[in-house]
Amino acid sequence: MGMCFPCLGGAADDVVVTPDPDTKRRQLAEAAEKRQKETTHRGIKKPEAVERKKKKQEEMEKQAMMTTPTGGGGLRWQVG
């Protein structure tokens, strides 16, 4: 009967300690980064290979833009 009030004892075990705001903010940021990474790589068996392929494709596109003349892609139209 003496356990109905927290000041009489037994209630100290039920108290949930919350972390300070900085720790909680850091944990939330880490969880958000983890979820974002999982969402980005969902369904991909080798995410590193996909990243390498994407970078290689970007480099090839960049190189193609540098080598093409400014005359509109190098194609000429002839009528006649």
Side-chain angles (χ1 to χ4, degrees):
M1 184 159 177
M3 294 299 214
C4 358
F5 298 107
C7 60
L8 297 177
D13 297 336
D14 297 337
V15 176
V16 177
V17 179
T18 58
D20 62 304
D22 292 333
T23 305
K24 187 166 184 151
R25 189 176 300 117
R26 182 180 48 80
Q27 289 173 343
L28 289 172
E30 289 173 358
E33 288 175 8
K34 183 179 177 182
R35 282 192 308 271
Q36 186 176 16
K37 186 177 180 181
E38 288 174 355
T39 303
T40 303
H41 298 300
R42 179 169 289 158
I44 300 173
K45 291 183 181 179
K46 297 181 183 178
E48 296 85 17
V50 173
E51 291 293 328
R52 283 194 310 268
K53 188 175 180 181
K54 186 177 180 181
K55 286 182 181 181
K56 184 177 179 182
Q57 182 69 24
E58 289 175 356
E59 281 293 320
M60 290 178 68
E61 289 176 2
K62 189 179 204 182
Q63 187 178 12
M65 293 296 282
M66 298 295 279
T67 59
T68 57
T70 59
L75 299 176
R76 295 184 181 204
W77 289 85
Q78 290 184 339
V79 179

